[in-house]
Amino acid sequence: MHHDRNQAAAAYRLPPLPYAPSALVPVISTTTLMIHYGKHHRSYLATLHKLIAETEFADLSLEDIITATAGKPDQSAIFNNAAQTWNHTFYWRSLTPKGGGEPPAGLRQKIEASFESVDACKKALANAAINQFGSGWAWLVFDGEKIRAIKTGNADVPLTQDMRPLLTIDVWEHAYYLDYHNRRADYVNAVIDRLINWDFAAENFG
Ligand code: MN3
């Protein structure tokens, strides 16, 4: 590898999982986590490397690749693999073994101003996740004024819509099918009740 690529290349290494693969049991099984992280996430990153080698994107940060390729049909393979790489890193951090419960005070105030209550916010996030048709993601985002619950299809990420992601839930079938089969709502509700990382969301809210 050429020396001036080192900095960009570092950004594309698979970040370590922030916990052991068994840490989210019983909500997410060790097998699901090992395949999801070790195969799916790794494969998006490996494909991205192949696609951008020797291109104008080779030295860009992941976020810059996503922004530069969003909405361009001839760059959709690069966009999809860059966004899926980013989304999964963000998803691992959106979960934590002793998660769920209530958000910290600063974030809670903003949630109550945006949704009336923390429970209403959790319901809106669950509805976004359950109602996403096909593969995609549910997100809490800050749009500059309010916190909102939104959904995106396939690899799409709110970064390209000028919204700041606070946390995400992966609703691709590979995220839950081994553990929950077709019961996506059970996966989503268990994640929100027991794994969601409100401290991470508060950190992103700033
Ligand atoms: Mn996934």
Side-chain angles (χ1 to χ4, degrees), residues 22-29 179-180 190 194-195:
S22 60
L24 307 184
V25 171
V27 179
I28 297 175
S29 68
D179 300 333
Y180 296 86
R194 302 178 65 177
L195 298 182

Side-chain angles (χ1 to χ4, degrees), residues 18 34 42 62 69 83-84 114 117 124 138 157 185 188 190 198:
M34 288 184 75
R42 188 179 297 281
L62 200 48
T69 57
Q84 283 296 81
S114 305
S117 69
V157 51
V188 166
W198 290 114

Side-chain angles (χ1 to χ4, degrees), residues 44-62:
Y44 292 124
L45 184 65
T47 305
L48 176 66
H49 275 294
K50 280 185 203 146
L51 291 169
I52 65 172
E54 312 298 325
T55 73
E56 75 223 69
F57 303 111
D59 293 325
L60 297 184
S61 72
L62 200 48

Side-chain angles (χ1 to χ4, degrees), residues 17-20 22-28 33 89-102 104 167-169 190-201 203:
L17 266 182
Y19 30 73
S22 60
L24 307 184
V25 171
V27 179
I28 297 175
L33 208 62
T89 301
F90 197 79
Y91 169 61
W92 307 132
R93 300 182 68 202
S94 296
L95 309 178
T96 187
K98 290 190 174 150
E102 298 297 315
L167 59 78
T168 193
I169 301 175
V191 163
I192 292 173
D193 288 344
R194 302 178 65 177
L195 298 182
I196 212 75
N197 188 347
W198 290 114
D199 290 336
F200 178 62
E203 211 177 285

Side-chain angles (χ1 to χ4, degrees), residues 36 40 44 84 88 91 137 170 172 174-175:
H36 198 172
H40 291 271
Y44 292 124
Q84 283 296 81
H88 281 90
Y91 169 61
W137 302 82
D170 188 343
W172 284 59
H174 64 230

